[in-house]
Amino acid sequence: MKQKYMQTSLEKKIRARAKRDLFYICVIVLILSCLSLIAKVDLFEQLYFFSRQHEHWEMDEITVVVFWFGLGGVFYAYRRMQDLRDLIYEVSDKAFFDQVSQLPNRVYSLECLTQMLHRAERLGRQVAVIFIDLDNFKMVNDTYGHAKGDLLLQVFGERLRYSIRKSDIVGRLSGDEYLILLELADEDELAPILERIKSLQEESYRLDENNLVLRFSAGVAIYPYDGYTATDLLKASDIAMYHSKVTKKGQIEFYTSSMAEMLYARYQLESDLKTALQNKAFHMEYQPQLSLESDQIIGYEALIRWELKGKQIPTAQLIQIAEDTGHIEEIGLWVLSQALEDAQSFLQADQTLGVNITSRHFWMSDFVCQIQRALSVHEFPPHRLVLELTESALVSDIFDDIRQKLMALRALGVNVAIDDFGIGYSCLGRLKDLPISCLKIDQIFTHALVDSERDRYVISTLINMAKHLNLSILAEGVESKEQLAMLYQIGCNMAQGYYIGKPESLATLVDRMKSSSGL
Ligand code: C2E
Ligand code: MG
Ligand code: MG
């Protein structure tokens, strides 16, 4: 069912003109009638006498024919007006409503906002503009196809409508963007509506036997504080939404003027990243991993580095931007290929190479083939490659897809480790279904190991669990002798951290290897 149709300003103008024309016609007819009365013009009598005098002209037959033509003309005009009305209805339906969700589209939503603003100005009210953008919706389209994606957009639009009041408007701007317009007589009206909208993220959608959860980022701009025109308010709410997307996904953020500056810096970084990607302006560093059983370096983890204008961009920030902008797939393949190439210069035959990947890589239908190709190009034995996948992938909507691809990788001989284990949404049920070989315990546990009995207990429990699941355990972020000693004591298999060795560039590693071998 469509939302209540609000007249556009053009329609209002046309209706006003029709009323005005009708008024003028009535006035003119009235004046002419009065004049005829005053002048005593007996029009019909004159006509009658004229037709009697010219009987042979067949005036009465002609009059009857003219009368029928007139009546036919009126009927014809009425029918054409009906056609015109249908045409206008159809055209405005296409021009103002989104055909997938049946919600007002961008043009009509902005028209409604403009009218709401006029009314709010007259009545001294506020208007809240909420910009909503679904997170990772591309994944739904890629995984389930566009027809299912459209269905999901439609259902989501409906749920949005039921979470607002009848008088409010929800429109679909484009793709996975929605706009909600609320007229507020009182500021307190906003909070419960926002709560209801936010809670939609807890609801699930059934698609192809899978229960899908749609997460979104949203931004709110309020008239008259954040803008006076529809365009300004839309822009402010868009900025707030984008801020929420890059800082804390899944939240509804209110616009503040400082957001624009932060976003400008972010846009700048995004475009720098694009250029860096074209010029391959990244390099790799490698951090050693120690076996606590043999006391030997048993492998290295490859970590990407990006230096921009003489400044090191934090890697976590680089990865986040690359994920948000969809460049992570390309970066991931570059990292893999570069690390495999670099490994030839420093990695010993019994050492492994850890390469980080994100769940986004599993969206690539040819991901497994790409890994296989890279391994054969660099003639790297698959069993020495360890792909590090963060724990958040375990709660991904495409978990089944991830599992199948991991199985295919395992069949090739590639090892998989779960990175930053313990801080995410530990989904132990899913862990046992995955063909993984190692759990990398996040550094927050390692850091607290010496002082906190609780963290010691957590790691011990994880080690026991890992043993039962036939997995090895690596503790990340070892920064001191005490931490390392404690890890030995509780039976951890491997360790990595600044105390063992900081990440180093290929050149430094090769130099050190040369000097230690006396070359
Ligand atoms: P990670 O995979 O858990 O990597 C370990 C991070 O901890 C690295 O940060 C490393 O420099 C840092 N680290 C190692 N030892 C210590 C320590 O003793 N103390 C402290 N405080 N930190 C230590 P980095 O290089 O900034 O990377 C951050 C995260 O970015 C990585 O966490 C990984 O998730 C991601 N990342 C790094 N390189 C890549 C990459 O090539 N591809 C992808 N997809 N992600 C990457
Ligand atoms: Mg890692
Ligand atoms: Mg980690």
Coordinates of all heavy atoms in Angstrom, one line a residue, residues 289 301-303 354-357 388-390 418-420 440 476 496, ligand 2:
Q289 N 57.2 -15.2 14.3 CA 56.3 -15.9 15.3 C 57.2 -17.0 15.9 O 57.9 -17.7 15.2 CB 55.2 -16.5 14.5 CG 54.2 -15.5 13.9 CD 53.2 -16.0 13.0 OE1 53.4 -17.0 12.3 NE2 52.1 -15.3 12.9
E301 N 54.5 -13.1 10.0 CA 53.2 -12.6 9.6 C 53.4 -11.4 8.7 O 54.2 -10.5 9.0 CB 52.3 -12.2 10.8 CG 51.0 -11.5 10.3 CD 50.0 -11.1 11.4 OE1 50.4 -11.2 12.6 OE2 48.9 -10.7 11.0
A302 N 52.8 -11.4 7.5 CA 53.0 -10.2 6.6 C 52.0 -9.1 7.0 O 50.8 -9.4 7.1 CB 52.7 -10.7 5.2
L303 N 52.5 -7.9 7.1 CA 51.6 -6.8 7.5 C 51.9 -5.6 6.5 O 53.0 -5.2 6.3 CB 52.0 -6.3 8.9 CG 51.8 -7.3 10.0 CD1 52.6 -7.0 11.3 CD2 50.3 -7.4 10.4
G354 N 52.2 -16.0 7.3 CA 50.9 -15.6 7.6 C 50.4 -14.4 6.8 O 51.2 -13.4 6.7
V355 N 49.3 -14.5 6.2 CA 48.7 -13.3 5.4 C 47.3 -13.1 5.9 O 46.5 -14.0 6.0 CB 48.7 -13.7 3.9 CG1 48.0 -12.6 3.1 CG2 50.2 -13.9 3.4
N356 N 47.1 -11.8 6.2 CA 45.7 -11.4 6.7 C 44.7 -11.3 5.6 O 45.0 -10.7 4.5 CB 45.8 -10.1 7.4 CG 46.6 -10.2 8.7 OD1 46.1 -10.7 9.7 ND2 47.8 -9.7 8.7
I357 N 43.5 -11.8 5.8 CA 42.5 -11.6 4.8 C 41.2 -11.2 5.6 O 41.2 -11.4 6.9 CB 42.1 -12.9 4.0 CG1 41.9 -14.1 4.9 CG2 43.2 -13.1 3.0 CD1 41.3 -15.3 4.2
E388 N 45.1 -15.6 7.7 CA 44.6 -15.1 9.0 C 43.3 -14.4 8.8 O 43.2 -13.4 8.1 CB 45.6 -14.2 9.7 CG 46.9 -14.9 10.0 CD 47.8 -14.1 10.9 OE1 47.4 -13.0 11.4 OE2 48.9 -14.5 11.2
L389 N 42.2 -15.0 9.4 CA 40.9 -14.4 9.2 C 40.4 -14.0 10.5 O 40.4 -14.7 11.5 CB 40.0 -15.6 8.6 CG 38.5 -15.3 8.4 CD1 38.3 -14.3 7.3 CD2 37.9 -16.6 8.0
T390 N 39.8 -12.7 10.6 CA 39.4 -12.2 11.9 C 38.1 -13.0 12.3 O 37.3 -13.4 11.5 CB 39.1 -10.7 11.9 OG1 38.4 -10.4 10.7 CG2 40.4 -9.9 12.0
I418 N 42.4 -18.2 13.0 CA 41.5 -17.2 13.4 C 42.2 -16.1 14.2 O 42.8 -16.4 15.2 CB 40.3 -17.8 14.2 CG1 39.5 -18.8 13.4 CG2 39.4 -16.7 14.7 CD1 38.8 -18.3 12.2
D419 N 42.2 -14.9 13.6 CA 43.0 -13.8 14.2 C 42.2 -13.0 15.3 O 40.9 -13.1 15.3 CB 43.3 -12.8 13.0 CG 44.5 -12.0 13.2 OD1 45.1 -12.1 14.4 OD2 45.0 -11.4 12.3
D420 N 42.9 -12.4 16.1 CA 42.3 -11.5 17.2 C 41.2 -12.3 17.9 O 40.1 -11.7 18.3 CB 41.7 -10.3 16.6 CG 42.7 -9.5 15.8 OD1 43.9 -9.7 16.0 OD2 42.2 -8.7 14.9
K440 N 44.6 -17.3 17.0 CA 45.5 -16.3 17.5 C 44.8 -15.5 18.5 O 43.9 -14.7 18.2 CB 46.0 -15.4 16.3 CG 46.8 -16.2 15.3 CD 47.4 -15.3 14.2 CE 48.5 -14.4 14.8 NZ 49.1 -13.5 13.7
E476 N 49.1 -13.2 20.7 CA 49.6 -12.0 20.0 C 50.1 -11.0 21.0 O 49.7 -11.0 22.2 CB 48.5 -11.4 19.2 CG 47.9 -12.3 18.1 CD 46.9 -11.5 17.3 OE1 45.8 -11.4 17.7 OE2 47.3 -11.0 16.2
Q496 N 53.9 -14.2 19.5 CA 54.3 -13.2 18.5 C 54.2 -11.8 19.3 O 53.3 -11.6 20.1 CB 53.3 -13.2 17.3 CG 53.5 -12.2 16.3 CD 52.5 -12.3 15.1 OE1 51.8 -13.3 15.0 NE2 52.4 -11.3 14.3
Ligands
MG2 MG 46.9 -11.1 11.7

